[in-house]
């Protein structure tokens, strides 16, 4: 059996959480990540017949029965994941009843997965229907994205259009735009259901006055989506109080999208 601490998926989680903390996206225990793993790869590092304990998920995820995820722990600080992954991360498998997680590794202090796990599982289910290769769901609190929530209309078309205007790359990186939810009580199935509904058409969903959810095929793709939104939001916040002299025009965005061959939300442009 290979050393679990050297597993690529464990090392990815350690590197990503450390980077997100360094960037100020995930203060204290803010933020969470879930990563759908390949069973054959996990079996190289763990005996999948050994279940440490079972933990109720609080949600019926029958569509994910048998699926294995590595998930950040509840109450755990992202800054501590790299130095102690076995306490701050866990590898779980959705049991046959759909409502129980089998702990295969991690949470060694008796902890459990993030309180947002139902929202993550719902988002995984929604994205897998759209893209069977989706593997990652990531939630964080990027500073400028959050600040933008307070001074910009929380309207999907308007906020997407503003972000697209801020950086040339934006319409290419997230041509499907950004979904938006109003402030909702976190840690509930209601916000999970609302997020999953948005995930049917967006890979990025802003939680009003809270943060952002991103989904993607890889850790890099998902991180990059949020990173690009945050950079655009930063430029917006640096310039919002100043007179706008220049901007990227809608017809220029169309030229960009067509050059890179991406399918963009034409209804989010003012043509």
């Amino acid at each position: 059996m290979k050393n679990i601490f050297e597993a690529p998926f464990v090392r990815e989680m350690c590197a990503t959480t450390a980077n997100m903390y360094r960037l100020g996206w995930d203060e204290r225990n803010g933020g969470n990540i879930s990563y759908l793993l390949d069973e054959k790869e996990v079996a190289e590092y763990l005996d999948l017949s050994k279940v440490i304990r079972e933990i109720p998920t609080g949600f019926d995820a029958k569509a994910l029965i048998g699926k294995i995820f590595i998930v950040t722990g509840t109450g755990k600080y992202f800054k501590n994941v790299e130095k102690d992954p076995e306490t701050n991360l866990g590898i779980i498998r959705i049991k046959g009843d759909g409502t129980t997680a089998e702990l295969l590794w991690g949470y060694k202090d008796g902890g459990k997965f993030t309180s947002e796990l139902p929202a993550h599982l719902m988002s995984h289910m929604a994205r897998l229907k759209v893209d069977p290769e989706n593997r990652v769901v990531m939630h964080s609190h990027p500073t400028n994205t959050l600040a933008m929530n307070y001074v910009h209309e929380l309207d999907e078309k308007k906020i997407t259009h503003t972000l697209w205007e801020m950086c040339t790359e934006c319409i290419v990186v997230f041509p499907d735009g950004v979904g938006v939810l109003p402030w909702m009580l976190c840690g509930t199935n209601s916000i999970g259901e609302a997020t999953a509904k948005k995930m049917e058409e967006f890979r990025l969903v802003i939680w009003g006055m809270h943060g952002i959810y991103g989904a993607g095929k890889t850790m890099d793709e998902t991180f990059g989506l949020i990173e690009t939104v945050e950079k655009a939001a930063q430029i917006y916040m640096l310039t919002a109080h100043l007179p706008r002299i220049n901007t990227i025009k809608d017809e220029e965005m169309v030229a960009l999208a067509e050059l890179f061959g991406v399918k963009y939300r034409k209804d989010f442009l003012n043509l």
Side-chain angles (χ1 to χ4, degrees):
M1 201 71 73
K2 296 180 181 179
N3 183 356
I4 185 66
F5 295 101
E6 296 301 320
F9 45 86
V10 172
R11 296 180 71 174
E12 270 191 294
M13 289 287 279
C14 289
T16 302
T17 51
N19 202 20
M20 293 169 77
Y21 180 79
R22 179 183 62 81
L23 290 168
W25 294 3
D26 296 275
E27 72 293 335
R28 201 173 182 271
N29 62 318
N32 26 77
I33 303 174
S34 59
Y35 185 179
L36 175 57
L37 304 178
D38 178 79
E39 183 176 343
K40 290 181 180 178
E41 185 179 15
V42 180
E44 296 178 14
Y45 299 91
L46 296 174
D47 181 349
L48 299 184
S49 68
K50 292 185 178 179
V51 176
I52 298 171
R53 53 192 165 95
E54 296 185 350
I55 312 170
T57 63
F59 168 67
D60 188 349
K62 283 191 171 62
L64 298 174
I65 287 173
K67 299 293 187 184
I68 298 174
F69 298 86
I70 185 167
V71 188
T72 50
T74 186
K76 304 304 182 186
Y77 292 24
F78 271 26
K79 71 182 181 68
N80 295 332
V81 175
E82 195 167 34
K83 66 182 179 183
D84 188 4
E86 194 172 6
T87 296
N88 295 284
L89 301 174
I91 296 176
I92 62 170
R93 179 175 57 204
I94 305 302
K95 192 178 176 181
D97 62 4
T99 62
T100 305
E102 297 175 321
L103 181 62
L104 304 175
W105 175 84
Y107 308 141
K108 71 175 184 180
D109 62 350
K112 65 174 188 174
F113 41 74
T114 170
S115 62
E116 301 289 357
L117 183 68
H120 278 252
L121 296 179
M122 292 179 206
S123 289
H124 277 287
M125 290 164 61
R127 288 308 305 168
L128 286 168
K129 289 178 182 177
V130 178
D131 181 0
E133 295 183 5
N134 191 84
R135 292 291 178 272
V136 178
V137 171
M138 183 181 292
H139 171 55
S140 64
H141 308 154
T143 306
N144 292 284
T145 304
L146 185 55
M148 188 176 176
N149 286 191
Y150 290 89
V151 297
H152 193 287
E153 289 178 80
L154 290 178
D155 174 272
E156 290 169 349
K157 176 178 177 178
K158 291 178 181 178
I159 206 164
T160 295
H161 192 275
T162 296
L163 292 168
W164 280 352
E165 287 181 304
M166 295 300 107
C167 304
T168 295
E169 64 181 342
C170 284
I171 196 170
V172 177
V173 174
F174 52 97
D176 42 345
V178 179
V180 177
L181 290 175
W183 187 92
M184 296 179 69
L185 188 62
C186 59
T188 64
N189 285 1
S190 295
I191 196 169
E193 290 163 0
T195 306
K197 184 66 178 174
K198 294 292 184 184
M199 283 279 179
E200 293 175 3
E201 56 179 316
F202 301 103
R203 290 173 298 158
L204 291 157
V205 180
I206 286 174
W207 282 8
M209 285 69 72
H210 181 149
I212 192 167
Y213 255 65
K217 298 180 180 69
T218 66
M219 197 73 78
D220 273 352
E221 179 192 8
T222 314
F223 180 92
L225 286 168
I226 295 174
E227 182 179 36
T228 307
V229 167
E230 173 63 1
K231 178 64 173 289
Q234 181 182 23
I235 294 169
Y236 174 80
M237 293 304 297
L238 287 169
T239 60
H241 62 293
L242 301 170
R244 178 82 64 87
I245 297 173
N246 303 302
T247 193
I248 303 172
K249 299 178 178 65
D250 285 41
E251 54 268 29
E252 293 170 334
M253 293 185 211
V254 171
L256 272 167
E258 292 181 351
L259 175 64
F260 286 91
V262 296
K263 186 178 180 182
Y264 61 98
R265 289 290 299 257
K266 295 181 181 178
D267 57 323
F268 279 10
L269 292 176
N270 301 313
L271 297 172

